[in-house]
Amino acid sequence: MKLRTANFPRARRGMLALLIGITAGISFMIVGTSGAQQPDSRPRQTGTATATPTPQQTLRPTPTPIPQTGPGRRIAPQLGEPPPPPVLKPKPTPTPDPASAEIDENSRLIMNAELVTLHVRVIDRNNHPINNVRKEEFHVLEDGVQQPIFSFTREEVPVMYGLAIDTSGSLRPAFEQVINAGKAIINSNKKGDETFLERFISSDMIETIQDFTANKETLMDGLDNLYVAGGQTAVIDGVYLAAEHVAGYKKGGDDDHRRRALIVVTDGEDRSSYYNEAQLFERLREEDVQIFVIGFVNELDADKGLIRKSPRDKAVNLLNRLASETGGRAFFPTSLSELPQVADEIVRDLRTQYVVSYDPTNKAHDGTYRSIKVTIADVAGQGKRIALTRSGRTAGQGTAAKPTPKPANTPGNNNVRQPANPTRKSP
């Protein structure tokens, strides 16, 4: 009994020590786990705090504001300068290669660079064409001196012609009919014919709408693209550049004797040209280009001053002179219904002509003007027959001679020429 009493306290002490150890171990684990999850123990500050930027935030660039012309405004985009107008210049003529000429060593080559070629239209008193004139019935006079006829033909040759249309506001009422007349003329083109289109308004608005081509569809599209615009009409400049372009275009080389013509549609009132009339007709005398004119002059002022002609008289005189001095013809329709007939007559005149070449007796190359006159001998039973051709030429400018190349800064170039009067008003 004593033994059992004595051992009990000892066992109790061992159990108590074990419980204390287990409790200490569990407490240590709890404290370690709580320490790992404990947030930053630094005291929190109350109120508004200023955030400290991180290094990445400090290196970020500050965007630059877009410059503005005023509050809430942005700079509007601007269009650049317009391109320069097209330049009417002749197509370069290829230089012949002497080594490529197919000439036998025993052959004799004769070249006559002095020949002057005339395109002659013969009509009766009623302006009807006459097609049965013989070579011996033609008489050619240069400065009143009879000239020997070198060649004569009535064969129909291809025609190279320009159609120059005034697209200023004065032609607006008749514009649709003008385009239709142009299409009628182009539709009459035959094999070998070539046409170019020009529109002109003011001196700085002279454009090649379509260069020389035999394609009728392309030419029709060019006419459809024409439109009326405002400006101070430059009739003389338009004719000057168009005639120069027709004369300078030689697709077949220097031996190309195709007929050359220019058809001009305008009211004839020149308001602001770079060239004057004297310069225009001096230039036309150097070229073998027949000019046909369709003049809408009825709307021009017919009132005259004490010392000046009326605008209508001035226009009629200019257009008549263009036709008469180049061997062409001028038409002044009084109504739009006459335009189809006018187009038919121009086509007929282009086709029913004689080609006469002569060797001038005056061989001097002195640059002087030589008057030309062609007459038809009277024949019994025949009425009066009238020969129409250009009125003269500049000496030394035979049609078979090689044309002198023009420098790049010639006044015919719209991009480089300077106005005759710098103080004139812009259109």
Side-chain angles (χ1 to χ4, degrees):
M1 188 67 180
K2 289 181 180 179
L3 180 61
R4 295 177 64 182
T5 305
N7 292 336
F8 176 78
R10 184 180 299 173
R12 188 175 180 181
R13 286 197 298 273
M15 182 65 70
L16 182 60
L18 178 62
L19 290 174
I20 292 172
I22 293 172
T23 302
I26 293 173
S27 300
F28 180 81
M29 293 176 62
I30 293 173
V31 170
T33 304
S34 300
Q37 297 178 353
Q38 178 71 30
D40 190 1
S41 59
R42 289 177 294 179
R44 298 180 180 272
Q45 296 180 358
T46 60
T48 303
T50 302
T52 303
T54 63
Q56 292 81 358
Q57 292 172 334
T58 304
L59 295 176
R60 185 177 299 169
T62 302
T64 303
I66 300 175
Q68 299 182 357
T69 57
R73 287 185 170 180
R74 301 188 64 171
I75 298 176
Q78 297 193 6
L79 199 62
E81 292 294 325
V87 178
L88 291 174
K89 57 183 178 180
K91 183 178 180 180
T93 302
T95 303
D97 183 6
S100 64
E102 299 179 359
I103 303 175
D104 185 77
E105 61 180 359
N106 297 321
S107 300
R108 183 182 180 188
L109 180 62
I110 299 176
M111 297 182 65
N112 190 336
E114 298 291 337
L115 287 181
V116 177
T117 301
L118 303 175
H119 298 286
V120 185
R121 184 165 56 95
V122 181
I123 59 174
D124 61 17
R125 293 184 182 275
N126 296 319
N127 206 18
H128 296 147
I130 298 176
N131 302 320
N132 59 353
V133 183
R134 300 187 302 252
K135 176 183 177 180
E136 57 271 17
E137 295 174 347
F138 278 91
H139 298 286
V140 179
L141 303 175
E142 183 177 286
D143 283 344
V145 178
Q146 181 89 15
Q147 302 296 309
I149 295 178
F150 184 83
S151 65
F152 168 87
T153 181
R154 195 165 53 88
E155 296 178 1
E156 188 171 295
V157 296
V159 182
M160 296 191 313
Y161 69 92
L163 185 57
I165 299 179
D166 180 351
T167 56
S168 63
S170 58
L171 256 70
R172 188 184 302 274
F175 197 68
E176 182 178 354
Q177 288 78 3
V178 167
I179 298 302
N180 291 335
K183 290 182 177 180
I185 294 172
I186 290 173
N187 269 327
S188 72
N189 285 7
K190 297 185 178 181
K191 184 178 180 180
D193 293 347
E194 291 185 81
T195 308
F196 102 96
L197 301 178
E198 175 196 271
R199 73 184 290 255
F200 65 90
I201 305 174
S202 56
S203 184
D204 58 347
M205 295 180 67
I206 302 174
E207 302 173 333
T208 299
I209 301 301
Q210 173 59 53
D211 209 345
F212 278 104
T213 181
N215 190 314
K216 293 184 181 181
E217 184 176 351
T218 302
L219 293 167
M220 296 298 184
D221 289 342
L223 285 175
D224 286 334
N225 288 332
L226 292 178
Y227 59 93
V228 173
Q232 298 295 314
T233 313
V235 178
I236 293 176
D237 286 352
V239 174
Y240 187 105
L241 294 184
E244 184 179 53
H245 191 50
V246 172
Y249 179 68
K250 290 195 172 184
K251 184 176 181 180
D254 293 334
D255 59 346
D256 188 348
H257 296 296
R258 289 181 290 179
R259 183 172 297 127
R260 287 170 169 76
L262 175 63
I263 302 170
V264 182
V265 184
T266 180
D267 66 357
E269 185 180 19
D270 188 275
R271 297 184 178 182
S272 182
S273 278
Y274 171 79
Y275 297 104
N276 56 40
E277 284 194 35
Q279 292 171 313
L280 171 63
F281 287 101
E282 180 181 358
R283 182 61 174 161
L284 292 178
R285 291 183 188 117
E286 299 176 4
E287 315 291 1
D288 185 17
V289 178
Q290 289 181 305
I291 298 181
F292 296 85
V293 180
I294 303 177
F296 293 90
V297 299
N298 291 335
E299 299 300 321
L300 298 180
D301 185 7
D303 293 335
K304 299 180 181 180
L306 294 176
I307 57 175
R308 67 174 180 86
K309 295 180 180 179
S310 70
R312 183 186 298 181
D313 288 342
K314 289 179 63 177
V316 170
N317 289 343
L318 172 62
L319 300 183
N320 273 328
R321 188 181 176 192
L322 284 173
S324 62
E325 292 205 13
T326 60
R329 190 175 171 192
F331 299 86
F332 299 97
T334 57
S335 68
L336 296 178
S337 61
E338 298 177 26
L339 278 180
Q341 180 182 353
V342 169
D344 290 342
E345 292 196 34
I346 290 176
V347 170
R348 183 194 65 187
D349 289 347
L350 286 175
R351 302 296 172 188
T352 56
Q353 297 192 33
Y354 301 87
V355 181
V356 179
S357 296
Y358 70 94
D359 188 6
T361 56
N362 185 349
K363 303 297 183 181
H365 290 210
D366 53 8
T368 59
Y369 176 71
R370 311 282 176 79
S371 64
I372 296 174
K373 184 177 182 180
V374 178
T375 62
I376 309 296
D378 293 333
V379 177
Q382 297 273 357
K384 180 65 175 179
R385 295 176 294 178
I386 304 169
L388 302 175
T389 189
R390 55 175 167 151
S391 61
R393 69 179 183 94
T394 300
Q397 300 294 325
T399 58
K402 187 174 182 179
T404 303
K406 299 178 178 62
N409 62 347
T410 177
N413 185 329
N414 282 345
N415 291 335
V416 298
R417 70 189 187 190
Q418 299 297 323
N421 182 6
T423 60
R424 71 183 184 184
K425 296 181 180 179
S426 301

